[in-house]
Amino acid sequence: MAKLVVRIPYVWMAVFFLVPFLIVLKISLSQTAIAQPPYTPVFDLAAGWHGVRSFLAGLSLDNFAFLGSDPLYILSYMKSVEIAAFSTLLLLVIGYPIAYAITRTPRRVQAVLVLLVILPFWTSFLIRIYAWMNILQHDGPLNQLLLFLHIVREPPAWLSTDTAVYIGIVYSYLPFMVLPLYATLEKLDETLLEAAADLGCPRWKTFWLVTLPLSAPGVLAGALLCFIPICGEFVIPDLLGGSRTSMIGQTVWTEFFANKDWPTASAVAVVLVCLLVTPIVVFQYQAMRGAERRS
Amino acid sequence: MMRKASLFNLAALAAGMAFLYLPIVILVIYSFNASRLVAVWGGWSIHWYAQLAGDAALLAAASISLRIALVSASAATVLGTLAAVALVRFGCFRGRLLFAAMIYAPLVMPEVITGLSMLLLFVAVAVDRGFWTVVIAHTTMAMCFVAVIVQSRLVDFDRSLEEAAMDLGAPPLQTFLLVTLPLILPAIAASFMLAFALSLDDLVIASFTTGPGATTLPIRIYSEVRLGVSPEMNAVCSIMVLVVGLAVIAASLLTKLSAARGTPARA
């Protein structure tokens, strides 16, 4: 009975999370074929040891060599990392004051504010990005406001620009940044700040020397929670970005759905996972340490 | 007492909340715009909502999405709760590290990769893709969220209640069913609703794992939205915001209820 409790979810995750990854890895090492499914070879267990050998012989690194040879993929990876890194920084700068401000309010208000921050996270990504398509379109509310206030003379084009992608990302990921920051800032020992003030430390210096270093775990958690998924983001650059902004998630999507080149799509995915493995391991270590500390 | 909000703090809060909510408010307002053009305000109207009722393809997609969400959220709740119990109560079983890794990794894994790998699994075992493949994919993704939520509830659980039941001779299963389960039930209900919302919202994983005849609502919305903004889509999205918003508020009220119960009163 007790064993079943562990085994059922274990087997489920192994079959539907781990095994699919191994399949992706395998297909990334296969040749493209014009067939259905569009790749060879298919692993044939019935053929026994001989099957394993011919399977291994059929593997090739061609797809990865292809990725390296085509600047499209390299540019796409670089663009993804660049956008993810810069928007994580933006999120920190915008999210920190919000998280900090929440901790300065009375307890009761804090609970409500936290709920208000979480709420948009649960409404669809798609809808929230669509909401920005409304606002950013050529004759949309933003341009109307800018024209009305005489800030611009000609309505600027927002959609299909990197700016729109950054707006969409910051908007969508803000809860991911604010919540971990709030969780660490809320636990901050008030007496340390009082001690600093008593000793004549100015407020900005207290912030710089006491608050910020103590909130480092929250900063790290928030940055990782944002950076990793942003790297593989698809919906936001697809709907708000232009044809020139091609992030890696879009590349996987196009290779898969438009070009029907599954081995290349798999290879792109494998390289992305390798890129993200270090931050994911750090994230997991943090998450597990957090869970243990609480127990 | 230093806990006091400065003017800068309040400004940051106000700006942050406005940033989070204004776009959604604008979306809802525009869904009531009688004019087809976004730039022109044609007065209040529920015309676009009435139009939706006649859109058979959209209604079919909504019905499929709701059924997928219901089935996958139920499965994810059961599996996720088991996973949480395994993680918190079974100490260091063999393979715990791998298990924890498999629970946490999907939380941050880009959806494009999860979707792609799921699809390749379904192709490898040659099943027809459709309703059930999307259910399996959503269950897998959502159970990790469920596991994390229920786990955090189990961690601040007052163990002495369980110990008391066991001391009085209740076997482990009975203790779990009669003591533990009722106390964590609100957290479980909350995670069910969140799993439901996740499934209802998902576009990327569903696009990879779906097949003919199982077009979900987000897939349908996405194909329309790619062509540009339209008042019908404003109306659909407003309805989804309302449904999901209510589910999340209910879920958070339940979590609060859960935290109030069974936790020793803190000084």
Side-chain angles (χ1 to χ4, degrees):
Chain A
M1 176 63 212
K3 277 192 179 135
L4 273 183
V5 173
V6 179
R7 235 166 248 174
I8 295 171
Y10 206 121
V11 169
W12 180 283
M13 287 313 288
V15 170
F16 293 115
F17 187 71
L18 202 58
V19 171
F21 260 115
L22 299 177
I23 296 178
V24 172
L25 188 63
K26 191 221 116 185
I27 290 176
S28 72
L29 295 166
S30 309
Q31 315 278 344
T32 313
I34 302 168
Q36 192 62 38
Y39 62 90
T40 63
V42 178
F43 189 30
D44 186 9
L45 265 179
W49 177 236
H50 176 70
V52 174
R53 266 175 56 193
S54 65
F55 165 75
L56 288 176
L59 298 181
S60 77
L61 288 168
D62 288 359
N63 297 308
F64 292 98
F66 175 60
L67 291 192
S69 68
D70 193 333
L72 172 86
Y73 299 104
I74 298 167
L75 283 177
S76 185
Y77 282 116
M78 278 164 52
K79 189 83 194 170
S80 297
V81 172
E82 178 201 318
I83 290 187
F86 189 55
S87 42
T88 303
L89 202 66
L90 274 175
L91 278 160
L92 259 177
V93 172
I94 297 171
Y96 205 102
I98 299 176
Y100 189 81
I102 295 178
T103 65
R104 303 284 99 182
T105 58
R107 286 258 159 219
R108 257 176 194 291
V109 183
Q110 279 186 32
V112 178
L113 289 173
V114 167
L115 176 62
L116 282 175
V117 171
I118 300 174
L119 199 56
F121 161 64
W122 292 107
T123 51
S124 160
F125 248 40
L126 189 57
I127 291 178
R128 284 181 289 154
I129 296 312
Y130 176 70
W132 278 102
M133 287 176 73
N134 257 314
I135 294 171
L136 296 177
Q137 62 182 322
H138 188 70
D139 46 7
L142 179 63
N143 274 347
Q144 287 182 24
L145 182 72
L146 291 179
L147 287 174
F148 177 76
L149 295 175
H150 295 287
I151 294 173
V152 293
R153 229 173 282 152
E154 283 293 308
W158 296 100
L159 286 176
S160 306
T161 62
D162 278 8
T163 316
V165 176
Y166 281 119
I167 293 176
I169 289 175
V170 169
Y171 182 64
S172 305
Y173 284 88
L174 197 56
F176 287 84
M177 185 56 92
V178 172
L179 289 180
L181 284 176
Y182 166 75
T184 35
L185 284 172
E186 189 241 355
K187 285 202 273 308
L188 198 82
D189 191 352
E190 286 289 318
T191 51
L192 293 175
L193 302 182
E194 279 162 27
D198 286 349
L199 296 170
C201 188
R203 282 182 72 163
W204 64 268
K205 212 170 171 186
T206 311
F207 176 81
W208 194 248
L209 292 177
V210 181
T211 312
L212 201 57
L214 283 176
S215 63
V219 172
L220 185 67
L224 287 171
L225 267 177
C226 294
F227 180 81
I228 302 169
I230 293 173
C231 273
E233 189 51 58
F234 166 74
V235 181
I236 300 173
D238 191 60
L239 290 178
L240 296 178
S243 47
R244 275 167 299 122
T245 330
S246 192
M247 288 178 70
I248 205 69
Q250 291 167 281
T251 311
V252 176
W253 185 281
T254 323
E255 286 301 339
F256 198 86
F257 286 110
N259 303 349
K260 302 256 185 272
D261 187 347
W262 294 14
T264 306
S266 303
V268 174
V270 168
V271 174
L272 178 58
V273 171
C274 294
L275 269 180
L276 295 181
V277 149
T278 323
I280 286 179
V281 168
V282 175
F283 170 77
Q284 218 174 296
Y285 178 69
Q286 283 280 325
M288 275 171 26
R289 236 182 34 177
E292 250 120 62
R293 209 183 299 131
R294 268 180 281 142
S295 58
Chain B
M1 184 73 182
M2 275 192 61
R3 247 176 215 283
K4 234 184 110 209
S6 68
L7 210 59
F8 174 72
N9 292 154
L10 290 177
L13 262 185
M17 291 300 155
F19 179 60
L20 282 175
Y21 284 94
L22 260 183
I24 296 174
V25 171
I26 291 176
L27 174 78
V28 175
I29 291 175
Y30 272 113
S31 76
F32 289 105
N33 186 358
S35 163
R36 175 159 271 285
L37 296 168
V38 176
V40 185
W41 180 253
W44 297 90
S45 152
I46 54 161
H47 177 72
W48 308 113
Y49 288 90
Q51 193 119 322
L52 288 183
D55 189 336
L58 199 70
L59 292 179
S63 134
I64 287 172
S65 269
L66 284 174
R67 277 184 290 149
I68 289 176
L70 199 63
V71 179
S72 67
S74 311
T77 308
V78 175
L79 288 167
T81 306
L82 288 179
V85 171
L87 278 174
V88 179
R89 292 296 149 87
F90 285 75
C92 296
F93 56 88
R94 236 180 347 150
R96 187 183 191 277
L97 199 67
L98 177 67
F99 186 57
M102 288 193 296
I103 294 295
Y104 290 123
L107 301 179
V108 287
M109 190 61 71
E111 287 184 315
V112 175
I113 294 177
T114 316
L116 176 74
S117 60
M118 280 275 181
L119 168 63
L120 294 176
L121 171 77
F122 295 137
V123 171
V125 296
V127 292
D128 286 332
R129 274 167 285 136
F131 185 87
W132 288 104
T133 47
V134 182
V135 166
I136 289 175
H138 281 178
T139 303
T140 310
M141 174 188 64
M143 72 175 271
C144 304
F145 282 86
V146 174
V148 169
I149 294 169
V150 176
Q151 182 194 24
S152 67
R153 180 72 194 96
L154 277 172
V155 164
D156 18 86
F157 187 87
D158 186 1
R159 286 299 287 270
S160 58
L161 294 170
E162 283 176 351
E163 281 157 14
M166 303 247 237
D167 282 351
L168 295 170
L173 179 65
Q174 201 181 359
T175 308
F176 181 78
L177 290 179
L178 294 179
V179 179
T180 317
L181 199 59
L183 286 173
I184 61 170
L185 202 57
I188 293 177
S191 47
F192 170 83
M193 271 176 249
L194 298 181
F196 189 85
L198 275 175
S199 168
L200 205 59
D201 280 346
D202 169 66
L203 164 74
V204 176
I205 293 174
S207 298
F208 275 102
T209 52
T210 192
T215 305
T216 64
L217 193 56
I219 296 178
R220 174 102 200 125
I221 293 176
Y222 174 68
S223 62
E224 296 266 337
V225 159
R226 288 200 82 170
L227 307 174
V229 174
S230 81
E232 289 94 343
M233 284 302 114
N234 287 344
V236 178
C237 292
S238 303
I239 293 176
M240 278 184 80
V241 166
L242 182 74
V243 171
V244 174
L246 287 179
V248 174
I249 290 173
S252 69
L253 288 180
L254 281 169
T255 326
K256 212 152 275 144
L257 199 67
S258 160
R261 267 207 265 173
T263 314
R266 291 201 185 114

